[in-house]
Amino acid sequence: MAIDLRPEIRIQPIDHPINRAAGISLSILRLDEIHPVVSGNKWFKLQEYIRLFREGDYAFILTFGGAHSNHLIATAAACAAFGIPCRAWVRGFHGQAIETETLKECRKLGMELHFIGRDVYSRHDEIFLHEVQLQYPNALIIPEGGYGPMGIAGAAAITNYIPAETELVCCAIGSGTTFCGIANGLLPHQSALGFTVFKQGATIAEELQAQIPHQRWVLATDYHFGKFARHTPELIDFIRYMQQEHNLPLDFVYNAKMLWGLLDMIKQDKMAAQHILCIHTGGLQGNRSIAHLLEA
Ligand SMILES: *Cc1c(COP(=O)(O)O)cnc(C)c1O
């Protein structure tokens, strides 16, 4: 499916008993609807890299990720849309082609895959990225997840879709790139609440602080459900409930944890804002790995 370069993005109001009881208007910016497999936020994070590629003198895009990575699919689809050759180094056991659904899709979109050992590669390791660049001087290298200043600049464009009456914007945090972009694009009366989806989320605060030029943001770090990509029966029930009763699909890694956490905070009377907008970052392709749990 082709990608619309300036997509219309729907805002879905949510009338859940918890936000209704609190008198809070809650809606969801459906970035997930941009594309069936490309995570909405990944698409935005890639925009500046794509622009750089087209303006520069590069031969191909090279990036990195795991075998279930939303970032790899997004990169493959974006490169396909623009006719850009792309390669990915997939973290895993050396030479062992673990063909996940995600990787099959990447290959179908024309991405060239190379498998590398976990020991060769560590996330966002600048020395490693520098060495790869020396090895492939004509490659435009995108760090895993679209991490970094270019990713932040791309993600800031998401705020063009936020209505002015919004007081609080919520977003799930992986590397924090999307969150920084959103925080950077807020209007002065708006603030941001980020939900970390991995253990010890507070450890990311300092890194975020360095990239956000104001103090109108906070983290909620208690809603990781054990650790990154871990799910519980309670979380699965919540995903099924939101789909069935509110027509809202949620991925189990990011957006389900964010919304569960937000509703929990509203229930505990911790929210002062009257108008809250959640950014649905997509990630629904990842639910294929738990399809058997989500079926009725
Ligand atoms: C990657 C991803 C995130 C996290 O984005 P960061 O910019 O790394 O914080 C959130 N949601 C989905 C669906 C993602 O794929």
Side-chain angles (χ1 to χ4, degrees):
M1 184 177 147
I3 295 179
D4 189 344
L5 300 184
R6 302 189 56 189
E8 296 251 339
I9 300 174
R10 183 164 73 100
I11 292 180
Q12 177 182 355
I14 297 292
D15 186 29
H16 188 284
I18 291 178
N19 68 286
R20 193 191 316 138
I24 288 176
S25 110
L26 171 61
S27 7
I28 315 284
L29 183 68
R30 297 288 305 270
L31 300 189
D32 60 299
E33 292 183 335
I34 294 177
H35 192 276
V37 295
V38 177
S39 289
N41 69 321
K42 297 291 187 295
W43 174 245
F44 279 93
K45 287 202 282 184
L46 287 168
Q47 291 306 302
E48 290 297 307
Y49 288 104
I50 302 276
R51 191 177 57 75
L52 200 64
F53 184 94
R54 302 177 83 194
E55 289 174 357
D57 193 17
Y58 299 98
F60 61 97
I61 279 179
L62 172 61
T63 194
F64 313 88
H68 298 279
S69 163
N70 289 329
H71 165 67
L72 288 190
I73 284 215
T75 307
C79 286
F82 290 102
I84 297 173
C86 66
R87 292 183 202 170
W89 288 12
V90 183
R91 207 168 351 107
F93 298 105
H94 194 67
Q96 190 177 322
I98 330 140
E99 282 290 88
T100 57
E101 289 299 315
T102 305
L103 294 180
K104 275 186 206 146
E105 194 105 30
C106 287
R107 248 193 239 283
K108 236 190 297 172
L109 287 160
M111 183 176 252
E112 203 181 296
L113 304 179
H114 302 269
F115 291 82
I116 59 167
R118 287 175 193 281
D119 48 338
V120 181
Y121 168 86
S122 81
R123 281 162 78 91
H124 314 147
D125 175 343
E126 298 210 354
I127 296 170
F128 167 77
L129 292 175
H130 185 66
E131 281 169 3
V132 176
Q133 185 74 79
L134 290 178
Q135 201 180 336
Y136 298 98
N138 58 357
L140 173 67
I141 293 182
I142 304 182
E144 179 162 352
Y147 181 80
M150 302 289 281
I152 292 178
I158 295 171
T159 56
N160 295 332
Y161 295 90
I162 298 177
E165 79 251 23
T166 303
E167 297 159 77
L168 180 72
V169 181
C170 298
C171 170
I173 293 187
S175 69
T177 310
T178 306
F179 184 75
C180 286
I182 288 169
N184 276 302
L186 292 178
L187 299 171
H189 68 280
Q190 298 173 326
S191 49
L193 169 60
F195 289 85
T196 51
V197 298
F198 47 88
K199 248 164 59 177
Q200 282 154 356
T203 55
I204 203 175
E206 208 174 311
E207 199 181 319
L208 300 181
Q209 184 64 76
Q211 302 179 87
I212 304 174
H214 58 73
Q215 304 292 333
R216 300 188 319 281
W217 61 276
V218 281
L219 297 182
T221 56
D222 292 335
Y223 300 107
H224 51 73
F225 288 76
K227 66 174 198 176
F228 185 75
R230 173 76 51 91
H231 51 81
T232 63
E234 190 182 25
L235 190 69
I236 299 295
D237 283 349
F238 177 65
I239 293 173
R240 293 170 53 142
Y241 165 80
M242 289 310 296
Q243 176 69 66
Q244 283 160 13
E245 301 298 322
H246 297 276
N247 206 14
L248 180 68
L250 295 167
D251 76 298
F252 72 96
V253 179
Y254 293 102
N255 292 288
K257 292 181 183 181
M258 166 191 65
L259 192 56
W260 199 98
L262 175 62
L263 291 170
D264 188 55
M265 290 174 76
I266 293 175
K267 197 165 62 185
Q268 293 182 39
D269 215 7
K270 287 184 180 164
M271 308 307 294
Q274 294 296 301
H275 291 274
I276 303 180
L277 181 77
C278 290
I279 310 297
H280 193 317
T281 49
L284 296 167
Q285 66 99 11
N287 276 5
R288 287 184 289 204
S289 69
I290 57 159
H292 56 290
L293 298 175
L294 296 178
E295 271 152 27

